Amino acid sequence: MLSRFNKVMILSAFAVAFAGCASNPPNVVSIPNSSDPAVEVARTEELVNEARAKQMDVLSPDNFKDAERALSKAKDYQADKKSSEKILQQVSYSRAWLKEGESKSDIARKSLGEIVDARSGALRANAPTMYPKEWKKLENKLENTTKDIEGGSLTAADKKGADIVAAYRQIERDSVAKQYLGKARMTIEEAEKDKASEKAPKSLAMAQGKYNQTMKLIAQDPRNTAAIARTSEDATRESDHLAEVMNKVNAGNSEALVLQNERQQRMISSLRKETKSQERELTQAEKQLEVAKQQEAELMRQQALTQTADKLRGELRPNEAEVFTQDGKVMVRLKGLNFASGKTTLTPQNKSLLKKVETALNDVPTSKIEVQGHTDSTGKADLNQKISEQRAKSVQQALIASGASSQNVNAIGMGDEHPISNNGTAAGRAQNRRIDLVIEPKIQE
């Protein structure tokens, strides 16, 4: 596994590493007695866990075990309330062993690089849980090899390395297969024991095909979990289908009849889905049609408003009436129609204007006209309300007398609550004593 040059370099490194080894670790760095033992013990435990994550427990097992023993002794001293000096000494020993183990692990990685990668993959596949006995045997074999390397011998790595790599690769594949295909394999095996090859050969072949497809994918790359997950779902689904078919066959049906019935059910289901889809499309189309109708109605209403307002503006002079649209209705503010303060009767001039208004209204289709009477703020509110109602009725009667339909013309008093000018001036009060016609145009079909 290594070139001759690399072997010489690694062995030289081991020779240096082993020089002067004793029962205590080399290169111990003392920790000041002023340090907090609890903090140092906790930090050392973190270092041990980090070393394990880097696989020091298998790359340099003896050093790692020595580090764990020293840490354990420090904890025991701590529990027995020994002196800080004794606790910190064991902590320093543990860290020194970790340092030594780190150096040996680097050397081991150079000779066992492929093994480390293979073992990492097996760990990610959860091999220790999936195959605990096989994993333990493989770990023991690796530990013996790394111990030989720790001892300065690379012969074991050369002889056993390829086999160990192959074993880790295989247990990784087996673990991935067990994780993703365990249920499918068990279902297929049970069906085979129940003579599925005779009772349901087509269903068995489909399940085996999906299973073998996933196994082939795992063999090619067990770390491509996204693709393996997708194909294993198909394999599990087909194996479940095999079990269903076997149950129906064992109940007295033939596989051909079971599969034919399934095809018919799928066809019915497909037709139902298609029908529901068409129903949804129809409902959506009806909603769109309704929206279109509403939009068209709104457009026609706006056109009727605009046309009515334009027609009335063309027949009434600006000093006679102000015409505008508001809240979906046409407002005709009769500027030329005025009442004296407190009065409700119409003057001949007012009647003449109303006659002209009625003539203009005859030229536009209307569905409803509301006559709104308004007063200024002079006097009490209840009296103003009555005056506004009487003014509105006076105009209503005049319009009806001129030919307007009594069913289409309503009168309402608004009192003094809606001024359009300043009630503090005579001119403003005169403007507030007014009549507004609120017209709802009739929309032509």
Side-chain angles (χ1 to χ4, degrees):
M1 296 180 70
L2 291 171
S3 68
R4 180 176 180 82
F5 175 77
N6 285 336
K7 284 183 180 180
V8 171
M9 293 300 294
I10 292 173
L11 287 171
S12 298
F14 272 116
V16 173
F18 276 94
C21 283
S23 58
N24 291 333
N27 303 318
V28 177
V29 178
S30 299
I31 301 174
N33 292 334
S34 59
S35 300
D36 186 342
V39 172
E40 299 301 329
V41 167
R43 175 55 185 152
T44 304
E45 189 165 17
E46 291 177 2
L47 293 173
V48 169
N49 291 332
E50 291 173 5
R52 182 182 291 105
K54 294 178 181 178
Q55 303 192 57
M56 186 187 291
D57 54 333
V58 293
L59 295 176
S60 184
D62 288 340
N63 286 310
F64 184 80
K65 289 176 181 177
D66 286 338
E68 282 190 318
R69 277 194 289 267
L71 175 61
S72 178
K73 186 174 288 187
K75 288 181 178 181
D76 291 340
Y77 284 170
Q78 190 177 23
D80 295 338
K81 298 182 179 180
K82 298 289 186 180
S83 66
S84 297
E85 183 180 359
K86 285 190 174 183
I87 298 172
L88 294 173
Q89 183 184 46
Q90 293 302 317
V91 168
S92 66
Y93 285 175
S94 179
R95 293 182 183 179
W97 285 123
L98 289 175
K99 190 69 174 177
E100 185 71 9
E102 184 178 353
S103 174
K104 299 293 180 61
S105 295
D106 288 341
I107 296 172
R109 282 190 186 92
K110 293 177 181 178
S111 59
L112 301 176
E114 193 175 356
I115 294 178
V116 173
D117 177 74
R119 183 175 183 272
S120 297
L123 284 171
R124 285 194 295 270
N126 204 21
T129 302
M130 295 292 182
Y131 295 97
K133 292 181 180 179
E134 292 81 352
W135 178 261
K136 187 175 181 179
K137 290 180 181 178
L138 188 52
E139 289 285 274
N140 289 336
K141 184 182 293 186
L142 176 59
E143 184 175 346
N144 292 333
T145 303
T146 53
K147 282 184 177 181
D148 289 341
I149 295 175
E150 274 189 319
S153 173
L154 299 180
T155 304
D158 280 339
K159 290 183 177 180
K160 303 176 183 178
D163 292 339
I164 294 175
V165 169
Y168 274 122
R169 299 290 189 205
Q170 186 59 50
I171 201 171
E172 178 184 3
R173 290 190 290 269
D174 292 344
S175 298
V176 171
K178 189 173 184 179
Q179 177 182 349
Y180 287 96
L181 291 173
K183 183 176 182 294
R185 182 176 64 183
M186 185 181 300
T187 303
I188 292 172
E189 288 176 352
E190 289 177 356
E192 289 174 332
K193 290 178 182 178
D194 195 19
K195 298 181 179 180
S197 59
E198 299 175 7
K199 298 178 180 179
K202 291 183 179 180
S203 301
L204 177 61
M206 283 294 296
Q208 288 174 331
K210 292 294 184 181
Y211 178 87
N212 292 335
Q213 181 182 357
T214 307
M215 286 296 294
K216 183 178 180 180
L217 191 61
I218 292 172
Q220 291 173 345
D221 184 4
R223 301 178 189 183
N224 187 6
T225 54
I228 292 170
R230 288 194 298 270
T231 58
S232 65
E233 287 178 3
D234 293 339
T236 301
R237 185 164 47 250
E238 286 297 336
S239 67
D240 289 341
H241 177 249
L242 171 61
E244 293 175 5
V245 172
M246 286 296 294
N247 287 334
K248 293 176 182 178
V249 169
N250 288 332
N253 301 289
S254 67
E255 182 189 28
L257 183 61
V258 172
L259 296 180
Q260 181 182 1
N261 182 62
E262 288 180 350
R263 286 193 293 272
Q264 291 173 344
Q265 290 298 322
R266 285 195 297 271
M267 184 180 298
I268 292 172
S269 177
S270 177
L271 290 172
R272 285 176 177 170
K273 289 181 180 179
E274 184 176 351
T275 301
K276 288 182 178 180
S277 177
Q278 292 173 346
E279 289 175 350
R280 285 194 297 269
E281 291 176 0
L282 179 60
T283 301
Q284 185 65 25
E286 290 174 346
K287 289 180 179 179
Q288 292 174 348
L289 179 61
E290 182 62 28
V291 171
K293 287 181 178 179
Q294 293 174 358
Q295 292 174 342
E296 182 180 5
E298 178 61 20
L299 178 61
M300 293 179 66
R301 190 172 69 85
Q302 292 296 331
Q303 289 177 342
L305 280 174
T306 302
Q307 292 171 359
T308 299
D310 290 344
K311 184 68 175 176
L312 292 174
R313 285 194 198 98
E315 299 193 22
L316 298 172
R317 294 195 299 270
N319 65 327
E320 292 176 333
E322 180 185 357
V323 182
F324 56 94
T325 59
Q326 179 176 296
D327 299 330
K329 299 176 183 178
V330 177
M331 298 287 292
V332 180
R333 180 156 292 155
L334 299 177
K335 297 169 63 177
L337 192 154
N338 300 112
F339 291 93
S341 181
K343 301 299 182 178
T344 63
T345 57
L346 296 171
T347 65
Q349 185 179 0
N350 289 341
K351 290 180 180 179
S352 176
L353 175 59
L354 289 176
K355 182 65 177 176
K356 188 174 182 180
V357 170
E358 174 57 28
T359 300
L361 289 174
N362 287 335
D363 292 337
V364 293
T366 60
S367 60
K368 182 179 178 182
I369 301 173
E370 182 177 88
V371 181
Q372 295 181 350
H374 296 267
T375 70
D376 59 31
S377 61
T378 304
K380 294 182 179 180
D382 56 348
L383 179 59
N384 288 336
Q385 178 64 34
K386 290 181 181 178
I387 291 173
S388 69
E389 290 174 0
Q390 290 173 1
R391 288 174 178 171
K393 288 180 180 178
S394 295
V395 174
Q396 176 193 32
Q397 291 169 1
L399 291 175
I400 292 172
S402 297
S405 173
S406 59
Q407 295 180 344
N408 293 343
V409 183
N410 297 323
I412 182 172
M414 307 297 287
D416 57 12
E417 295 182 356
H418 301 279
I420 60 173
S421 189
N422 185 3
N423 276 309
T425 66
R429 289 192 295 273
Q431 291 182 43
N432 291 333
R433 298 189 298 271
R434 72 190 189 279
I435 291 294
D436 289 339
L437 302 182
V438 183
I439 302 170
E440 292 185 16
K442 181 182 292 183
I443 300 175
Q444 300 297 317
E445 297 295 336

